[in-house]
Amino acid sequence: MVLVKCLGDNCSPLQENCSSLRELYVLIPVGGRATRLLPLTAETSKACLRLLNRPLVEFSLLSLAAQGVRNIIFGVKGYTNYRDLYDHFGSGQGFSARHNIEPHLQIDYQPNVDDLGSADSASINMDYYDLKSTVFAVQGDNIFDVDIKDLVNFHKEKGAALTIVLRNVDNIEGLGLADISKDGRINRFVEKPLPKDAPSNLANTGLYVLSPKVRQILKEPGVQQIIKDKKRLDFGYDFIPYLIESGHLVYGYITKGSWFDIGTPKNYLDAMKSLLQQRSTTLSEDFGKCVKVGNNGLVWLQGKSGASEKCQEHIIQKINQKKIHINGTVLIGHHCHIGEGTTLTDCCLDNFVQIGKNVVISDTAVMDRALIGDYTAVTDSIIGRHVTICSSQCKPTKVSDVSVIADDVTIDEGSLLSAAKIFPHQKVQGEFINQTLTLGN
């Protein structure tokens, strides 16, 4: 099942192909600061954090649109989340036109009411938009490959109040886990347990189907007591356990499709590499101009303008002359310039990135307008927008071990960063190992 038919510039219209999903409302809660992703989210909504040269939440929107969904509500909390989402997506018409989605998406937003968690956000929006039918809740920092029509049919056949999409995982750390019966009913659910307390390896993906009755359940005295006592109403910690304990039907729908929780920098990099290597159907083959390099290398080159195509021609020429070395799969955005002697391995360069000579970049994301100086080595790290890394043959700079450099940072030549986190708008120099630098350090 290919969820996103086309991500290129000259695509045929993405027509609605599941009329039964035309009236389905999809709620995407986006709240809080996403502290596990700091400093990337210091000034940016996690839903708009760039991954493979596009805002993260676009993967969900394109996947939903390809299956016929047309109604989206962003359950936004806080100024930054609202600003970034509204400024990029608006009411959905411009976004739909860019991606040839017909009929266009209708995107709405949570009113300016602070919620007390993801389940409270669902309650606020179901009431405000007077939703009386099935709702599909999707997390803004997830990428998923799920057959929504089959999921909704499963939910209705079971007569469930709530259906949770579950997936078998090897690493249960930081995830909610469910114990289910043979028919799929969830008997017990534990949010982020210790390994010894885990009921299974079936993880909550953060994808929920809510029946209309949930709107009334959210007003039950027991739910209101949770809000009063805990000052929150989260799906995993609060609402799901309440539903199970109070006898409401909660079912688990097990998916074998791809699922990525972009909750930490390491998860971000793992998802980037998996998507680059096409281990997910979320990306189609139409992801730019594809150039094969040797037996195993593959490079995607994006951009349709004349200036961008000239940059691509220069890059391809250097690759053919073996002046740029490509290993694995590499994505290169619009208007990038890459110096001779540079080696790129399983990485992503966003738009207007400039790479110097004899640079090594592997397993790394480099975001828009970054400048990477000669002889820099960057491995397993994330380089934010408008970052400048100064480096020279005499004083090479090295960045490694899941270091995260936020936007508008300048790193002086000869610096060494290992497992470091640098918050925005700083100039740093020296050696930083397992350190976090904020303004004022």
Side-chain angles (χ1 to χ4, degrees), residues 242-274:
Y242 171 82
L243 287 172
I244 295 169
E245 291 166 10
S246 57
H248 294 289
L249 294 179
V250 180
Y251 276 82
Y253 175 94
I254 301 175
T255 180
K256 294 182 179 179
S258 300
W259 171 68
F260 303 99
D261 171 17
I262 318 296
T264 66
K266 183 180 184 305
N267 287 355
Y268 175 105
L269 290 171
D270 288 344
M272 180 198 76
K273 287 182 280 188
S274 292

Side-chain angles (χ1 to χ4, degrees), residues 299-403:
V299 59
W300 295 96
L301 293 155
Q302 296 184 327
K304 295 287 185 180
S305 71
S308 188
E309 289 187 339
K310 284 184 179 179
C311 293
Q312 293 173 19
E313 290 172 7
H314 290 153
I315 291 170
I316 292 170
Q317 185 179 48
K318 289 179 181 178
I319 291 172
N320 290 335
Q321 294 172 348
K322 297 185 178 180
K323 294 179 179 179
I324 296 175
H325 308 285
I326 303 291
N327 299 313
T329 306
V330 174
L331 174 66
I332 300 175
H334 306 220
H335 304 284
C336 290
H337 294 271
I338 303 171
E340 295 182 5
T342 288
T343 299
L344 303 175
T345 303
D346 290 325
C347 61
C348 175
L349 311 181
D350 282 5
N351 307 321
F352 295 98
V353 168
Q354 295 186 43
I355 307 295
K357 297 179 180 179
N358 300 305
V359 172
V360 175
I361 300 176
S362 65
D363 302 306
T364 289
V366 181
M367 297 184 187
D368 290 3
R369 300 191 79 202
L371 303 178
I372 312 296
D374 298 349
Y375 294 93
T376 300
V378 187
T379 59
D380 290 298
S381 295
I382 304 172
I383 308 300
R385 291 174 145 189
H386 219 282
V387 167
T388 299
I389 300 180
C390 302
S391 180
S392 65
Q393 186 173 13
C394 295
K395 294 183 177 181
T397 295
K398 297 182 180 180
V399 182
S400 64
D401 299 314
V402 196
S403 287

Side-chain angles (χ1 to χ4, degrees), residues 57-76:
V57 76
E58 276 197 10
F59 289 94
S60 294
L61 294 184
L62 291 168
S63 178
L64 292 163
Q67 297 190 65
V69 170
R70 291 298 181 269
N71 297 297
I72 307 292
I73 299 171
F74 281 121
V76 290

Side-chain angles (χ1 to χ4, degrees), residues 78-256:
Y79 165 71
T80 299
N81 288 319
Y82 174 76
R83 177 200 65 193
D84 288 359
L85 285 164
Y86 187 82
D87 287 353
H88 188 82
F89 296 103
S91 63
Q93 295 189 36
F95 173 77
S96 299
R98 287 196 301 274
H99 293 282
N100 298 287
I101 300 170
E102 298 178 2
H104 70 78
L105 292 177
Q106 176 60 49
I107 299 179
D108 291 302
Y109 298 82
Q110 182 170 312
N112 191 5
V113 177
D114 277 351
D115 61 69
L116 297 174
S118 53
D120 191 39
S121 175
S123 179
I124 290 168
N125 287 287
M126 291 170 77
D127 285 344
Y128 184 82
Y129 290 103
D130 195 23
L131 304 185
K132 298 177 181 177
S133 57
T134 302
V135 173
F136 183 36
V138 175
Q139 303 309 303
D141 58 354
N142 284 1
I143 298 174
F144 57 88
D145 181 355
V146 175
D147 185 329
I148 302 169
K149 185 176 180 181
D150 187 65
L151 168 62
V152 171
N153 286 341
F154 172 90
H155 170 82
K156 292 180 176 179
E157 288 170 3
K158 297 296 185 181
L162 178 75
T163 295
I164 307 172
V165 177
L166 303 172
R167 194 177 191 280
N168 272 297
V169 296
D170 295 325
N171 182 8
I172 64 171
E173 183 180 358
L175 299 172
L177 301 167
D179 173 39
I180 66 172
S181 60
K182 289 183 179 180
D183 70 344
R185 184 170 180 178
I186 297 179
N187 302 312
R188 189 162 66 99
F189 180 87
V190 185
E191 182 70 3
K192 299 178 183 177
L194 295 172
K196 65 181 182 65
D197 299 322
S200 72
N201 276 41
L202 286 173
N204 175 13
T205 63
L207 306 175
Y208 309 115
V209 183
L210 288 66
S211 76
K213 71 180 74 173
V214 164
R215 186 173 169 184
Q216 294 305 314
I217 296 173
L218 284 162
K219 294 177 173 55
E220 289 182 358
V223 175
Q224 298 307 306
Q225 191 64 44
I226 291 173
I227 294 173
K228 182 179 179 181
D229 293 343
K230 298 184 178 181
K231 303 297 187 291
R232 72 169 191 224
L233 189 63
D234 178 75
F235 268 111
Y237 282 111
D238 308 308
F239 190 56
I240 295 171
Y242 171 82
L243 287 172
I244 295 169
E245 291 166 10
S246 57
H248 294 289
L249 294 179
V250 180
Y251 276 82
Y253 175 94
I254 301 175
T255 180
K256 294 182 179 179

